[in-house]
Amino acid sequence: MSLNADGAPRRRRGKELENALLDAAWAELTERGYDEFAIDRVATRAGTSRAVLYRRWPGKQDLVRAAVEHNTGEGPAIAPDTGSLRGDVVALLRQTNERRRTLVTVLMTRLGGFYRASGTTLADLAEAGAGDSIMHEVLDRAIERGEVEPGQVSDRIMQLPLHLFRYEALMTLRPVPEQAIEEIVDTIFLPLVHGNR
Amino acid sequence: MSLNADGAPRRRRGKELENALLDAAWAELTERGYDEFAIDRVATRAGTSRAVLYRRWPGKQDLVRAAVEHNTGEGPAIAPDTGSLRGDVVALLRQTNERRRTLVTVLMTRLGGFYRASGTTLADLAEAGAGDSIMHEVLDRAIERGEVEPGQVSDRIMQLPLHLFRYEALMTLRPVPEQAIEEIVDTIFLPLVHGNR
DNA sequence: TATTTGAGATACAGACTGTATCTTATACCA
DNA sequence: TGGTATAAGATACAGTCTGTATCTCAAATA
């Protein structure tokens, strides 16, 4: 039970209490991760009892969700206007970097335990699925055939098709449609490799 | 306890038992998801007791990891050799599509509960961080300025910088370095938009 | 056949969940 | 200002799951 400075019992209500609860939940989430997140501990941390939490959120996932929303809502992003396309896009990415908190924190809380436990990262798992070295092999053969000039293709461009493919697979959690595969290769990868010949 | 056809008690050992355990774990994982995954239930499903599981894996996460590896290991991917760069890359992506199981299943088991609970997908979260519509706005202004010809930039290319950025952020769970941002914009996005002028 | 290994059963303490019930501080209203 | 309604906070309960420990006995090995 929370006490006043003079030791009298004190009862928070409404928004004040709710904020304290969500802040405590958020702290637990970021400190211990989703796997070890317990309503019990949130209540203790907030200096109240579990009943108060259950009165507001039916279960763990609802509370987690509320805590994430409460602590990451930052309003919509604003389109930068620097006067040039390059400047705008660079500014947009920089801005996203700062606002990245939302997504990354959610992912960390969800994946953190698994990462720690397995010593694996998302990138390792992707790597295991289709090693980036394979693109090296493919490119080397293209160079041998004279399709591509040696040293012309940066690492980032070389990995581009796989990265875009995986991004799409991750976002949709579905097989990537054939049409998307061909679009990636024909309108993005090959033009970059061949310098729009 | 497992029984023989004639009702005599029967004890599996070694690989036979281990496969049964991992199959049971996998079934629990795919049917109920990571959140509800319980060693208890795996043991029951495999027709044995928890002690047998704890003898092999120290805890839940280790068992989950082993089950994922056991049920998705398909050996290393083979570099396709179709005789052209385009053919090779398309084949590689198609092949990855079929092998995608590993990554997607791991993610589903990790994120599935959250998705169900929140009604949010990874794409929604990404979208909330920096709406794709912003790139539209940026591009529109570039067209007004005469930097870009109208109708020249496909949706996929328009979203390319954000997608590559997010892919990198997701994989590393770190801020994307300034140098990577500029590389994405200067060596990939702008060349595609301007047709390598 | 004797010995070793480890499967399978069971019991335990502890943590956490979700529900229910009680007292009482606080807000609101007559 | 005093009475009443609301909900905070405490507590108790049954149930599930965890991780550990201990026991018996089936099966592999020598």
Side-chain angles (χ1 to χ4, degrees), chain B residues 92-152:
Chain B
L92 176 59
L93 295 189
R94 278 195 196 127
Q95 179 182 305
T96 308
N97 231 357
E98 278 151 33
R99 304 164 57 86
R100 165 194 64 99
R101 258 192 5 175
T102 312
L103 185 55
V104 168
T105 313
V106 170
L107 278 170
M108 278 305 282
T109 56
R110 294 295 303 181
L111 299 170
F114 191 77
Y115 281 6
R116 274 194 301 279
S118 65
T120 328
T121 68
L122 210 47
D124 293 337
L125 290 169
E127 178 68 19
D132 295 1
S133 62
I134 291 186
M135 270 309 291
H136 246 116
E137 216 177 309
V138 166
L139 244 291
D140 282 349
R141 273 204 304 269
I143 290 171
E144 276 170 37
R145 282 192 303 263
E147 270 193 89
V148 179
E149 308 250 319
Q152 188 187 343

Short mmCIF file of all heavy atoms in Angstrom, two decimals, chain B residues 92-152:
data_model
loop_
_atom_site.label_atom_id
_atom_site.label_comp_id
_atom_site.label_asym_id
_atom_site.label_seq_id
_atom_site.Cartn_x
_atom_site.Cartn_y
_atom_site.Cartn_z
N LEU B 92 17.10 -18.64 -57.02
CA LEU B 92 17.49 -18.57 -55.61
C LEU B 92 16.33 -18.08 -54.75
O LEU B 92 16.05 -18.63 -53.68
CB LEU B 92 18.70 -17.63 -55.46
CG LEU B 92 19.17 -17.37 -54.03
CD1 LEU B 92 19.57 -18.67 -53.35
CD2 LEU B 92 20.33 -16.40 -54.01
N LEU B 93 15.64 -17.07 -55.22
CA LEU B 93 14.52 -16.54 -54.44
C LEU B 93 13.38 -17.56 -54.37
O LEU B 93 12.77 -17.75 -53.31
CB LEU B 93 14.03 -15.22 -55.04
CG LEU B 93 15.03 -14.06 -55.00
CD1 LEU B 93 14.37 -12.76 -55.42
CD2 LEU B 93 15.63 -13.90 -53.61
N ARG B 94 13.13 -18.23 -55.48
CA ARG B 94 12.08 -19.26 -55.46
C ARG B 94 12.43 -20.34 -54.46
O ARG B 94 11.60 -20.80 -53.68
CB ARG B 94 11.98 -19.90 -56.85
CG ARG B 94 11.14 -19.10 -57.81
CD ARG B 94 10.76 -19.94 -59.02
NE ARG B 94 10.28 -19.08 -60.10
CZ ARG B 94 10.76 -19.09 -61.34
NH1 ARG B 94 11.74 -19.93 -61.66
NH2 ARG B 94 10.26 -18.28 -62.25
N GLN B 95 13.67 -20.75 -54.50
CA GLN B 95 14.15 -21.80 -53.59
C GLN B 95 14.00 -21.34 -52.14
O GLN B 95 13.55 -22.10 -51.28
CB GLN B 95 15.61 -22.06 -53.93
CG GLN B 95 16.32 -23.09 -53.09
CD GLN B 95 17.78 -23.19 -53.53
OE1 GLN B 95 18.10 -23.42 -54.69
NE2 GLN B 95 18.69 -23.02 -52.58
N THR B 96 14.34 -20.09 -51.90
CA THR B 96 14.21 -19.54 -50.54
C THR B 96 12.75 -19.56 -50.12
O THR B 96 12.42 -19.81 -48.97
CB THR B 96 14.75 -18.11 -50.50
OG1 THR B 96 16.07 -18.09 -51.05
CG2 THR B 96 14.82 -17.60 -49.07
N ASN B 97 11.88 -19.30 -51.05
CA ASN B 97 10.45 -19.33 -50.77
C ASN B 97 10.04 -20.69 -50.21
O ASN B 97 9.27 -20.78 -49.26
CB ASN B 97 9.67 -19.08 -52.05
CG ASN B 97 8.64 -17.98 -51.87
OD1 ASN B 97 8.47 -17.45 -50.77
ND2 ASN B 97 7.96 -17.64 -52.93
N GLU B 98 10.56 -21.72 -50.80
CA GLU B 98 10.20 -23.05 -50.35
C GLU B 98 10.85 -23.38 -49.01
O GLU B 98 10.29 -24.10 -48.21
CB GLU B 98 10.62 -24.10 -51.39
CG GLU B 98 9.60 -24.22 -52.51
CD GLU B 98 10.25 -24.65 -53.81
OE1 GLU B 98 11.22 -25.42 -53.77
OE2 GLU B 98 9.77 -24.18 -54.88
N ARG B 99 12.02 -22.83 -48.79
CA ARG B 99 12.76 -23.13 -47.56
C ARG B 99 12.43 -22.14 -46.46
O ARG B 99 12.93 -22.28 -45.34
CB ARG B 99 14.25 -23.10 -47.85
CG ARG B 99 14.65 -24.05 -48.96
CD ARG B 99 16.03 -23.67 -49.43
NE ARG B 99 16.95 -23.72 -48.32
CZ ARG B 99 17.57 -24.81 -47.93
NH1 ARG B 99 17.39 -25.92 -48.57
NH2 ARG B 99 18.36 -24.79 -46.89
N ARG B 100 11.65 -21.18 -46.79
CA ARG B 100 11.26 -20.11 -45.88
C ARG B 100 10.70 -20.61 -44.55
O ARG B 100 10.72 -19.94 -43.55
CB ARG B 100 10.22 -19.28 -46.63
CG ARG B 100 9.37 -18.32 -45.88
CD ARG B 100 8.24 -17.91 -46.80
NE ARG B 100 7.43 -19.08 -47.09
CZ ARG B 100 6.29 -19.37 -46.48
NH1 ARG B 100 5.82 -18.55 -45.59
NH2 ARG B 100 5.61 -20.46 -46.76
N ARG B 101 10.22 -21.85 -44.58
CA ARG B 101 9.63 -22.44 -43.38
C ARG B 101 10.38 -22.12 -42.10
O ARG B 101 9.81 -21.70 -41.10
CB ARG B 101 9.57 -23.96 -43.54
CG ARG B 101 8.23 -24.46 -43.89
CD ARG B 101 8.09 -25.95 -43.77
NE ARG B 101 9.24 -26.65 -43.22
CZ ARG B 101 9.23 -27.95 -42.97
NH1 ARG B 101 8.15 -28.64 -43.21
NH2 ARG B 101 10.28 -28.54 -42.48
N THR B 102 11.68 -22.34 -42.11
CA THR B 102 12.48 -22.15 -40.90
C THR B 102 12.18 -20.82 -40.24
O THR B 102 11.68 -20.75 -39.13
CB THR B 102 13.98 -22.17 -41.24
OG1 THR B 102 14.23 -23.30 -42.06
CG2 THR B 102 14.81 -22.23 -39.97
N LEU B 103 12.51 -19.77 -40.97
CA LEU B 103 12.42 -18.44 -40.40
C LEU B 103 10.98 -18.09 -40.02
O LEU B 103 10.71 -17.61 -38.93
CB LEU B 103 12.95 -17.44 -41.43
CG LEU B 103 13.04 -16.00 -40.96
CD1 LEU B 103 13.85 -15.91 -39.69
CD2 LEU B 103 13.65 -15.14 -42.04
N VAL B 104 10.08 -18.36 -40.92
CA VAL B 104 8.70 -17.98 -40.67
C VAL B 104 8.12 -18.74 -39.49
O VAL B 104 7.40 -18.18 -38.67
CB VAL B 104 7.85 -18.20 -41.94
CG1 VAL B 104 6.38 -18.10 -41.61
CG2 VAL B 104 8.24 -17.19 -43.00
N THR B 105 8.45 -20.00 -39.39
CA THR B 105 7.90 -20.78 -38.29
C THR B 105 8.44 -20.28 -36.96
O THR B 105 7.68 -20.11 -36.00
CB THR B 105 8.24 -22.27 -38.45
OG1 THR B 105 7.95 -22.65 -39.78
CG2 THR B 105 7.42 -23.09 -37.48
N VAL B 106 9.71 -20.01 -36.92
CA VAL B 106 10.28 -19.48 -35.69
C VAL B 106 9.57 -18.18 -35.32
O VAL B 106 9.15 -17.98 -34.18
CB VAL B 106 11.79 -19.23 -35.85
CG1 VAL B 106 12.33 -18.46 -34.66
CG2 VAL B 106 12.52 -20.54 -36.01
N LEU B 107 9.39 -17.34 -36.30
CA LEU B 107 8.75 -16.07 -36.02
C LEU B 107 7.30 -16.24 -35.60
O LEU B 107 6.83 -15.59 -34.69
CB LEU B 107 8.82 -15.19 -37.26
CG LEU B 107 10.14 -14.48 -37.40
CD1 LEU B 107 10.24 -13.83 -38.76
CD2 LEU B 107 10.29 -13.43 -36.31
N MET B 108 6.62 -17.14 -36.28
CA MET B 108 5.22 -17.36 -35.93
C MET B 108 5.10 -17.86 -34.50
O MET B 108 4.24 -17.41 -33.75
CB MET B 108 4.59 -18.37 -36.89
CG MET B 108 4.14 -17.77 -38.19
SD MET B 108 3.01 -16.39 -37.94
CE MET B 108 1.50 -17.30 -37.56
N THR B 109 5.96 -18.76 -34.12
CA THR B 109 5.86 -19.30 -32.77
C THR B 109 6.21 -18.22 -31.75
O THR B 109 5.67 -18.20 -30.66
CB THR B 109 6.79 -20.51 -32.57
OG1 THR B 109 8.12 -20.12 -32.89
CG2 THR B 109 6.37 -21.65 -33.47
N ARG B 110 7.09 -17.33 -32.15
CA ARG B 110 7.48 -16.27 -31.21
C ARG B 110 6.48 -15.13 -31.20
O ARG B 110 6.21 -14.53 -30.18
CB ARG B 110 8.86 -15.71 -31.58
CG ARG B 110 9.99 -16.69 -31.43
CD ARG B 110 10.18 -17.08 -29.99
NE ARG B 110 10.41 -15.90 -29.15
CZ ARG B 110 10.62 -15.97 -27.86
NH1 ARG B 110 10.62 -17.13 -27.25
NH2 ARG B 110 10.81 -14.89 -27.17
N LEU B 111 5.98 -14.81 -32.35
CA LEU B 111 5.16 -13.62 -32.45
C LEU B 111 3.68 -13.93 -32.51
O LEU B 111 2.85 -13.06 -32.31
CB LEU B 111 5.54 -12.82 -33.71
CG LEU B 111 6.98 -12.33 -33.76
CD1 LEU B 111 7.29 -11.79 -35.15
CD2 LEU B 111 7.23 -11.27 -32.72
N GLY B 112 3.37 -15.18 -32.80
CA GLY B 112 1.98 -15.55 -33.04
C GLY B 112 1.05 -15.09 -31.93
O GLY B 112 0.02 -14.50 -32.19
N GLY B 113 1.43 -15.34 -30.70
CA GLY B 113 0.59 -14.97 -29.57
C GLY B 113 0.32 -13.49 -29.54
O GLY B 113 -0.81 -13.05 -29.35
N PHE B 114 1.34 -12.74 -29.78
CA PHE B 114 1.19 -11.29 -29.76
C PHE B 114 0.30 -10.82 -30.90
O PHE B 114 -0.56 -9.97 -30.71
CB PHE B 114 2.56 -10.63 -29.86
CG PHE B 114 2.52 -9.16 -29.60
CD1 PHE B 114 2.41 -8.70 -28.30
CD2 PHE B 114 2.58 -8.26 -30.63
CE1 PHE B 114 2.37 -7.34 -28.05
CE2 PHE B 114 2.55 -6.91 -30.39
CZ PHE B 114 2.44 -6.45 -29.09
N TYR B 115 0.49 -11.41 -32.07
CA TYR B 115 -0.34 -11.06 -33.21
C TYR B 115 -1.80 -11.32 -32.87
O TYR B 115 -2.66 -10.47 -33.06
CB TYR B 115 0.02 -11.91 -34.43
CG TYR B 115 1.27 -11.45 -35.14
CD1 TYR B 115 2.06 -10.42 -34.64
CD2 TYR B 115 1.65 -12.03 -36.33
CE1 TYR B 115 3.19 -10.01 -35.29
CE2 TYR B 115 2.79 -11.62 -37.00
CZ TYR B 115 3.55 -10.61 -36.47
OH TYR B 115 4.67 -10.21 -37.12
N ARG B 116 -2.07 -12.51 -32.39
CA ARG B 116 -3.44 -12.87 -32.06
C ARG B 116 -4.01 -11.92 -31.02
O ARG B 116 -5.14 -11.46 -31.11
CB ARG B 116 -3.51 -14.31 -31.54
CG ARG B 116 -3.63 -15.34 -32.63
CD ARG B 116 -4.04 -16.68 -32.02
NE ARG B 116 -3.09 -17.17 -31.02
CZ ARG B 116 -1.96 -17.80 -31.32
NH1 ARG B 116 -1.65 -18.01 -32.57
NH2 ARG B 116 -1.15 -18.21 -30.38
N ALA B 117 -3.22 -11.65 -30.00
CA ALA B 117 -3.70 -10.84 -28.88
C ALA B 117 -3.98 -9.41 -29.30
O ALA B 117 -4.95 -8.80 -28.88
CB ALA B 117 -2.69 -10.87 -27.75
N SER B 118 -3.12 -8.89 -30.12
CA SER B 118 -3.20 -7.46 -30.40
C SER B 118 -3.91 -7.15 -31.72
O SER B 118 -4.28 -6.02 -31.95
CB SER B 118 -1.80 -6.86 -30.45
OG SER B 118 -1.09 -7.42 -31.54
N GLY B 119 -4.07 -8.17 -32.56
CA GLY B 119 -4.64 -7.90 -33.87
C GLY B 119 -3.70 -7.10 -34.74
O GLY B 119 -4.08 -6.54 -35.75
N THR B 120 -2.45 -7.02 -34.33
CA THR B 120 -1.44 -6.27 -35.07
C THR B 120 -0.51 -7.23 -35.79
O THR B 120 -0.21 -8.29 -35.28
CB THR B 120 -0.55 -5.46 -34.11
OG1 THR B 120 -1.32 -5.09 -32.99
CG2 THR B 120 0.03 -4.26 -34.79
N THR B 121 -0.05 -6.83 -36.96
CA THR B 121 1.00 -7.60 -37.60
C THR B 121 2.27 -6.78 -37.61
O THR B 121 2.25 -5.58 -37.31
CB THR B 121 0.64 -7.94 -39.05
OG1 THR B 121 0.65 -6.73 -39.81
CG2 THR B 121 -0.71 -8.60 -39.15
N LEU B 122 3.34 -7.42 -37.94
CA LEU B 122 4.63 -6.75 -38.04
C LEU B 122 4.52 -5.57 -39.00
O LEU B 122 5.06 -4.49 -38.75
CB LEU B 122 5.66 -7.76 -38.55
CG LEU B 122 7.08 -7.60 -38.11
CD1 LEU B 122 7.16 -7.35 -36.62
CD2 LEU B 122 7.87 -8.83 -38.47
N ALA B 123 3.81 -5.79 -40.10
CA ALA B 123 3.69 -4.73 -41.10
C ALA B 123 2.93 -3.53 -40.52
O ALA B 123 3.29 -2.39 -40.76
CB ALA B 123 2.97 -5.25 -42.34
N ASP B 124 1.90 -3.79 -39.72
CA ASP B 124 1.17 -2.70 -39.09
C ASP B 124 2.08 -1.89 -38.19
O ASP B 124 2.02 -0.66 -38.18
CB ASP B 124 0.01 -3.26 -38.24
CG ASP B 124 -1.04 -3.90 -39.10
OD1 ASP B 124 -1.13 -3.56 -40.29
OD2 ASP B 124 -1.77 -4.75 -38.57
N LEU B 125 2.89 -2.59 -37.43
CA LEU B 125 3.80 -1.89 -36.52
C LEU B 125 4.79 -1.04 -37.29
O LEU B 125 5.06 0.10 -36.92
CB LEU B 125 4.54 -2.92 -35.65
CG LEU B 125 3.67 -3.62 -34.62
CD1 LEU B 125 4.42 -4.80 -33.99
CD2 LEU B 125 3.27 -2.64 -33.53
N ALA B 126 5.32 -1.60 -38.37
CA ALA B 126 6.27 -0.86 -39.18
C ALA B 126 5.58 0.37 -39.76
O ALA B 126 6.11 1.48 -39.72
CB ALA B 126 6.80 -1.74 -40.30
N GLU B 127 4.40 0.16 -40.25
CA GLU B 127 3.59 1.22 -40.85
C GLU B 127 3.36 2.35 -39.85
O GLU B 127 3.49 3.53 -40.17
CB GLU B 127 2.25 0.63 -41.28
CG GLU B 127 1.28 1.62 -41.87
CD GLU B 127 1.75 2.14 -43.21
OE1 GLU B 127 2.62 1.49 -43.83
OE2 GLU B 127 1.28 3.19 -43.62
N ALA B 128 3.05 1.98 -38.61
CA ALA B 128 2.80 2.97 -37.57
C ALA B 128 4.05 3.81 -37.33
O ALA B 128 3.97 4.99 -37.05
CB ALA B 128 2.36 2.28 -36.28
N GLY B 129 5.22 3.17 -37.44
CA GLY B 129 6.47 3.87 -37.18
C GLY B 129 6.72 4.98 -38.18
O GLY B 129 7.07 6.09 -37.81
N ALA B 130 6.56 4.70 -39.44
CA ALA B 130 6.77 5.72 -40.46
C ALA B 130 5.95 5.34 -41.67
O ALA B 130 6.37 4.55 -42.49
CB ALA B 130 8.25 5.83 -40.82
N GLY B 131 4.78 5.89 -41.75
CA GLY B 131 3.82 5.51 -42.78
C GLY B 131 4.41 5.54 -44.18
O GLY B 131 5.19 6.42 -44.50
N ASP B 132 4.02 4.55 -44.98
CA ASP B 132 4.53 4.48 -46.33
C ASP B 132 4.03 5.66 -47.15
O ASP B 132 4.60 6.01 -48.17
CB ASP B 132 4.09 3.17 -47.00
CG ASP B 132 4.73 1.98 -46.30
OD1 ASP B 132 5.48 2.20 -45.32
OD2 ASP B 132 4.50 0.85 -46.74
N SER B 133 2.94 6.26 -46.65
CA SER B 133 2.38 7.39 -47.39
C SER B 133 3.35 8.57 -47.42
O SER B 133 3.29 9.42 -48.30
CB SER B 133 1.08 7.83 -46.73
OG SER B 133 1.33 8.26 -45.42
N ILE B 134 4.23 8.60 -46.45
CA ILE B 134 5.18 9.71 -46.40
C ILE B 134 6.08 9.71 -47.62
O ILE B 134 6.39 10.75 -48.18
CB ILE B 134 6.01 9.64 -45.10
CG1 ILE B 134 5.09 9.95 -43.92
CG2 ILE B 134 7.16 10.60 -45.14
CD1 ILE B 134 5.80 10.06 -42.62
N MET B 135 6.46 8.51 -48.06
CA MET B 135 7.30 8.44 -49.26
C MET B 135 6.55 8.98 -50.47
O MET B 135 7.15 9.59 -51.36
CB MET B 135 7.75 7.00 -49.50
CG MET B 135 9.05 6.61 -48.83
SD MET B 135 10.43 7.75 -49.11
CE MET B 135 10.77 7.48 -50.85
N HIS B 136 5.25 8.76 -50.47
CA HIS B 136 4.42 9.32 -51.54
C HIS B 136 4.56 10.84 -51.57
O HIS B 136 4.77 11.45 -52.61
CB HIS B 136 2.95 8.94 -51.30
CG HIS B 136 2.41 8.03 -52.33
ND1 HIS B 136 2.00 6.74 -52.06
CD2 HIS B 136 2.25 8.19 -53.67
CE1 HIS B 136 1.59 6.18 -53.16
NE2 HIS B 136 1.73 7.01 -54.17
N GLU B 137 4.42 11.42 -50.39
CA GLU B 137 4.49 12.88 -50.25
C GLU B 137 5.85 13.39 -50.74
O GLU B 137 5.92 14.36 -51.50
CB GLU B 137 4.31 13.20 -48.77
CG GLU B 137 3.54 14.48 -48.50
CD GLU B 137 3.34 14.68 -47.01
OE1 GLU B 137 2.87 13.73 -46.34
OE2 GLU B 137 3.66 15.77 -46.51
N VAL B 138 6.89 12.72 -50.30
CA VAL B 138 8.25 13.12 -50.67
C VAL B 138 8.42 13.06 -52.19
O VAL B 138 8.98 13.97 -52.81
CB VAL B 138 9.27 12.22 -49.95
CG1 VAL B 138 10.65 12.39 -50.57
CG2 VAL B 138 9.30 12.54 -48.46
N LEU B 139 7.94 11.96 -52.76
CA LEU B 139 8.08 11.78 -54.21
C LEU B 139 7.28 12.83 -54.98
O LEU B 139 7.74 13.37 -55.99
CB LEU B 139 7.61 10.38 -54.59
CG LEU B 139 8.66 9.43 -55.17
CD1 LEU B 139 9.07 9.91 -56.57
CD2 LEU B 139 9.90 9.35 -54.28
N ASP B 140 6.07 13.11 -54.48
CA ASP B 140 5.23 14.10 -55.14
C ASP B 140 5.94 15.45 -55.21
O ASP B 140 5.90 16.14 -56.23
CB ASP B 140 3.88 14.24 -54.39
CG ASP B 140 2.93 13.10 -54.70
OD1 ASP B 140 3.25 12.33 -55.65
OD2 ASP B 140 1.90 12.95 -54.03
N ARG B 141 6.57 15.79 -54.12
CA ARG B 141 7.28 17.07 -54.11
C ARG B 141 8.46 17.07 -55.08
O ARG B 141 8.76 18.06 -55.73
CB ARG B 141 7.74 17.41 -52.70
CG ARG B 141 6.68 18.15 -51.90
CD ARG B 141 7.31 18.97 -50.79
NE ARG B 141 8.12 18.13 -49.92
CZ ARG B 141 7.64 17.52 -48.83
NH1 ARG B 141 6.39 17.68 -48.48
NH2 ARG B 141 8.42 16.78 -48.10
N ALA B 142 9.13 15.91 -55.17
CA ALA B 142 10.25 15.80 -56.10
C ALA B 142 9.77 15.96 -57.54
O ALA B 142 10.45 16.56 -58.38
CB ALA B 142 10.95 14.45 -55.92
N ILE B 143 8.58 15.45 -57.81
CA ILE B 143 8.00 15.59 -59.15
C ILE B 143 7.67 17.06 -59.42
O ILE B 143 7.97 17.59 -60.48
CB ILE B 143 6.75 14.69 -59.29
CG1 ILE B 143 7.18 13.23 -59.30
CG2 ILE B 143 5.98 15.04 -60.56
CD1 ILE B 143 6.03 12.24 -59.20
N GLU B 144 7.05 17.72 -58.42
CA GLU B 144 6.75 19.15 -58.56
C GLU B 144 7.99 19.96 -58.88
O GLU B 144 7.97 20.88 -59.68
CB GLU B 144 6.13 19.68 -57.26
CG GLU B 144 4.63 19.46 -57.13
CD GLU B 144 4.15 19.79 -55.73
OE1 GLU B 144 4.66 20.77 -55.13
OE2 GLU B 144 3.27 19.05 -55.21
N ARG B 145 9.07 19.62 -58.23
CA ARG B 145 10.32 20.36 -58.44
C ARG B 145 10.96 20.01 -59.77
O ARG B 145 11.96 20.61 -60.15
CB ARG B 145 11.31 20.02 -57.32
CG ARG B 145 11.06 20.72 -56.01
CD ARG B 145 12.25 20.54 -55.07
NE ARG B 145 12.54 19.13 -54.84
CZ ARG B 145 12.11 18.44 -53.78
NH1 ARG B 145 11.37 19.03 -52.86
NH2 ARG B 145 12.40 17.17 -53.65
N GLY B 146 10.44 18.97 -60.42
CA GLY B 146 11.02 18.55 -61.69
C GLY B 146 12.21 17.62 -61.53
O GLY B 146 12.91 17.31 -62.49
N GLU B 147 12.45 17.16 -60.28
CA GLU B 147 13.58 16.23 -60.07
C GLU B 147 13.30 14.86 -60.66
O GLU B 147 14.22 14.13 -61.02
CB GLU B 147 13.82 16.07 -58.56
CG GLU B 147 14.78 17.05 -57.95
CD GLU B 147 15.18 16.62 -56.54
OE1 GLU B 147 16.15 15.87 -56.42
OE2 GLU B 147 14.49 17.01 -55.58
N VAL B 148 12.01 14.51 -60.67
CA VAL B 148 11.62 13.17 -61.10
C VAL B 148 10.45 13.30 -62.08
O VAL B 148 9.60 14.16 -61.92
CB VAL B 148 11.17 12.31 -59.89
CG1 VAL B 148 10.74 10.93 -60.33
CG2 VAL B 148 12.28 12.24 -58.86
N GLU B 149 10.44 12.43 -63.08
CA GLU B 149 9.32 12.43 -64.04
C GLU B 149 8.14 11.70 -63.40
O GLU B 149 8.31 10.66 -62.77
CB GLU B 149 9.71 11.68 -65.30
CG GLU B 149 11.00 12.13 -65.92
CD GLU B 149 10.76 12.86 -67.22
OE1 GLU B 149 9.90 12.40 -68.00
OE2 GLU B 149 11.42 13.90 -67.44
N PRO B 150 6.91 12.23 -63.64
CA PRO B 150 5.73 11.54 -63.07
C PRO B 150 5.59 10.14 -63.67
O PRO B 150 5.93 9.92 -64.83
CB PRO B 150 4.56 12.43 -63.52
CG PRO B 150 5.16 13.70 -64.01
CD PRO B 150 6.56 13.41 -64.41
N GLY B 151 5.11 9.21 -62.86
CA GLY B 151 4.83 7.86 -63.34
C GLY B 151 6.07 7.04 -63.61
O GLY B 151 6.00 5.93 -64.13
N GLN B 152 7.23 7.56 -63.23
CA GLN B 152 8.48 6.87 -63.55
C GLN B 152 8.88 5.89 -62.44
O GLN B 152 9.63 4.95 -62.68
CB GLN B 152 9.58 7.94 -63.72
CG GLN B 152 10.90 7.41 -64.24
CD GLN B 152 11.95 8.51 -64.21
OE1 GLN B 152 11.63 9.69 -64.11
NE2 GLN B 152 13.20 8.12 -64.30
#
